[in-house]
Amino acid sequence: MPRTRKSTKAASVWNEVAELKREKILQSAVDLFYQNGYLPTTMDVIAESIGATKPFVYYHYENKAELLSEIARRTLREWLAVTTHVTDQSLPPKEALSLAAQQFTMIVLNMYKLVSIYYREQLNLPKEVADEIAGMRREIDAQVRTILAEGKKTGVFEFEDLAVASQVVTGMVSFVFAWYREPSRLSKEEICAQMVSHVLRSVGATTTPS
Amino acid sequence: MPRTRKSTKAASVWNEVAELKREKILQSAVDLFYQNGYLPTTMDVIAESIGATKPFVYYHYENKAELLSEIARRTLREWLAVTTHVTDQSLPPKEALSLAAQQFTMIVLNMYKLVSIYYREQLNLPKEVADEIAGMRREIDAQVRTILAEGKKTGVFEFEDLAVASQVVTGMVSFVFAWYREPSRLSKEEICAQMVSHVLRSVGATTTPS
């Protein structure tokens, strides 16, 4: 019995170390893809940048496309988690949009390199990953539209076309990746608060508490 | 004298034909870069796609980077022309922002492939072109900020930070490239009109005529 427990513990430590190693490789890939682009970056360069061998990298990631896929998946998974979390709470539309904009912006700020890579390198995603990601995008879009439609119905929001409004809202928040750089004059919290105001206003909501 | 006139005319026809050829090469490069990415597209493939030889393409464009540079320059030049045209008219801030948003959106709609390539392939621009383009971006941004600052001062616009507001406005309009596809359910004019409403609202302006 103690033997099993020990093995389990050893296995769990081993898993944790493997996870840390995978994460280190991914972070290095993010920096290199962001700085130099996906296509010119080789697995060799990724290995070198963390002082590891190429087989070590291949042991954790089958190929470069798997690294890119993980970067894109992680970005979309985080966004989808936000809209799902907001949707699950059945908040009034203005509170829902406000919370979604705040959390969505924070993700873009925290992951602006991943978001940039995702937008730049979509053509290089394997077909099945591109499809999977398109599915997540559709889900996010449907949840944003539900919030916007509800707000329009109850007269809290004012806009003409639901599809355009939804793209405007997700677009202005996503686009933060294109201008946010560290160090930043404004804190992340300040930027999020201002994005919430701009998002609410953009669909005709007042920014005073409802 | 008639001889000179004839030569001038011949030269002008020749120039016109050369310009048409250059444009045909560029349009083919736009389609191919948009579809397959810049790095995997070769000058050979560009030549093939218009049924021309590689020397023919090289005669008009020194290298592939020159094609990409022209795509990026054209995008930025068009945007800068809009903000300059609007600024030159000394319109009241709401009219100025409205006109800029309308014309800026129309450019993105008309040139969404070029805008996509510009955003995706910035890393592949030659250093001096990247610098030139960064200069144009700064000029555009300065003109947008002037309009926004004027509107804030006169109480027509309401927002907290000028830099964030300026990025929000240019970002939401630029981002149209990421979702606009042809054929489109809405006409370009309808999309422009709706973008104007969203832009005005996003900086706290009313959308009724002032």
Side-chain angles (χ1 to χ4, degrees):
Chain A
M1 195 64 165
R3 206 188 159 91
T4 315
R5 218 191 295 154
K6 226 178 189 169
S7 314
T8 314
K9 206 184 159 190
S12 123
V13 168
W14 193 89
N15 279 338
E16 216 172 286
V17 170
E19 205 30 68
L20 280 174
K21 283 178 180 170
R22 270 181 71 85
E23 190 56 28
K24 202 174 164 188
I25 297 167
L26 189 82
Q27 286 313 322
S28 157
V30 166
D31 286 338
L32 289 162
F33 294 167
Y34 179 75
Q35 192 83 37
N36 308 324
Y38 171 73
L39 290 178
T41 303
T42 61
M43 288 294 250
D44 269 319
V45 172
I46 295 171
E48 248 173 59
S49 77
I50 53 169
T53 61
K54 206 160 129 178
F56 171 86
V57 174
Y58 276 112
Y59 177 80
H60 291 281
Y61 286 95
E62 212 176 306
N63 51 43
K64 206 170 65 163
E66 212 187 302
L67 279 162
L68 183 61
S69 302
E70 177 61 21
I71 290 169
R73 273 200 198 100
R74 202 175 275 199
T75 305
L76 270 291
R77 241 187 252 132
E78 293 275 343
W79 283 342
L80 183 54
V82 164
T83 52
T84 305
H85 167 74
V86 169
T87 303
D88 285 351
Q89 291 182 68
S90 314
L91 296 167
K94 200 169 126 179
E95 282 67 23
L97 186 62
S98 174
L99 184 61
Q102 192 271 326
Q103 296 193 345
F104 210 101
T105 305
M106 190 53 94
I107 289 167
V108 179
L109 293 172
N110 286 335
M111 299 171 61
Y112 74 94
K113 288 185 183 180
L114 289 93
V115 178
S116 299
I117 295 166
Y118 162 65
Y119 275 110
R120 264 194 226 147
E121 309 289 358
Q122 293 187 46
L123 286 179
N124 296 311
L125 283 172
K127 171 86 176 70
E128 70 277 12
V129 181
D131 289 347
E132 181 193 331
I133 276 165
M136 290 199 264
R137 288 197 68 97
R138 276 193 299 274
E139 229 175 305
I140 294 168
D141 197 44
Q143 290 174 331
V144 172
R145 286 190 197 200
T146 303
I147 297 170
L148 291 175
E150 181 65 19
K152 189 176 178 180
K153 206 179 71 187
T154 56
V156 184
F157 299 154
E158 200 186 329
F159 55 83
E160 209 167 317
D161 190 81
L162 186 57
V164 173
S166 154
Q167 297 288 7
V168 161
V169 163
T170 49
M172 67 200 275
V173 176
S174 312
F175 207 71
V176 170
F177 85 84
W179 53 268
Y180 178 71
R181 290 298 171 272
E182 285 169 351
S184 163
R185 178 175 54 88
L186 299 170
S187 73
K188 289 179 178 175
E189 289 69 23
E190 284 170 312
I191 295 174
C192 287
Q194 294 188 27
M195 287 307 296
V196 168
S197 296
H198 285 293
V199 164
L200 287 179
R201 287 193 173 115
S202 76
V203 293
T206 53
T207 52
T208 46
S210 57
Chain B
M1 193 67 164
R3 203 190 163 91
T4 316
R5 218 191 296 156
K6 226 179 190 166
S7 314
T8 314
K9 205 182 161 193
S12 122
V13 168
W14 193 89
N15 279 339
E16 216 172 289
V17 171
E19 204 32 67
L20 279 173
K21 284 179 180 171
R22 271 181 70 85
E23 191 57 28
K24 202 174 165 189
I25 296 168
L26 189 82
Q27 286 312 322
S28 158
V30 166
D31 286 338
L32 289 163
F33 294 167
Y34 180 76
Q35 193 82 37
N36 307 324
Y38 171 73
L39 291 178
T41 303
T42 62
M43 288 293 253
D44 269 321
V45 171
I46 295 170
E48 250 172 57
S49 77
I50 53 170
T53 60
K54 207 160 123 178
F56 170 85
V57 175
Y58 276 111
Y59 178 79
H60 291 282
Y61 285 95
E62 210 177 307
N63 51 43
K64 207 171 63 163
E66 210 185 303
L67 280 161
L68 182 62
S69 302
E70 177 61 21
I71 291 169
R73 272 200 199 100
R74 203 175 274 198
T75 306
L76 270 291
R77 242 187 252 134
E78 293 275 343
W79 283 342
L80 183 55
V82 165
T83 52
T84 304
H85 167 73
V86 170
T87 303
D88 284 352
Q89 290 182 70
S90 315
L91 296 167
K94 202 170 127 178
E95 282 66 24
L97 185 61
S98 174
L99 184 62
Q102 192 271 327
Q103 296 194 345
F104 210 102
T105 305
M106 191 52 97
I107 289 167
V108 179
L109 293 172
N110 286 336
M111 299 172 62
Y112 75 94
K113 289 186 183 180
L114 288 93
V115 179
S116 299
I117 296 166
Y118 162 64
Y119 275 111
R120 265 196 228 145
E121 310 289 357
Q122 293 187 46
L123 286 179
N124 296 312
L125 284 172
K127 171 84 174 71
E128 70 278 11
V129 181
D131 288 347
E132 180 192 333
I133 275 163
M136 289 198 265
R137 288 197 68 97
R138 275 193 300 275
E139 228 175 311
I140 294 168
D141 197 44
Q143 289 174 332
V144 172
R145 287 190 196 199
T146 302
I147 297 170
L148 291 175
E150 181 66 20
K152 189 176 178 181
K153 206 179 71 186
T154 55
V156 184
F157 299 155
E158 200 186 329
F159 55 83
E160 208 168 318
D161 189 82
L162 186 58
V164 173
S166 153
Q167 296 287 8
V168 161
V169 163
T170 49
M172 66 200 277
V173 176
S174 313
F175 206 71
V176 169
F177 84 84
W179 53 268
Y180 179 71
R181 290 297 171 272
E182 287 169 350
S184 165
R185 176 176 55 87
L186 299 171
S187 73
K188 287 179 180 176
E189 288 69 24
E190 283 170 312
I191 295 175
C192 287
Q194 294 189 27
M195 287 307 296
V196 168
S197 295
H198 285 292
V199 164
L200 288 179
R201 286 193 173 114
S202 76
V203 293
T206 53
T207 52
T208 46
S210 57

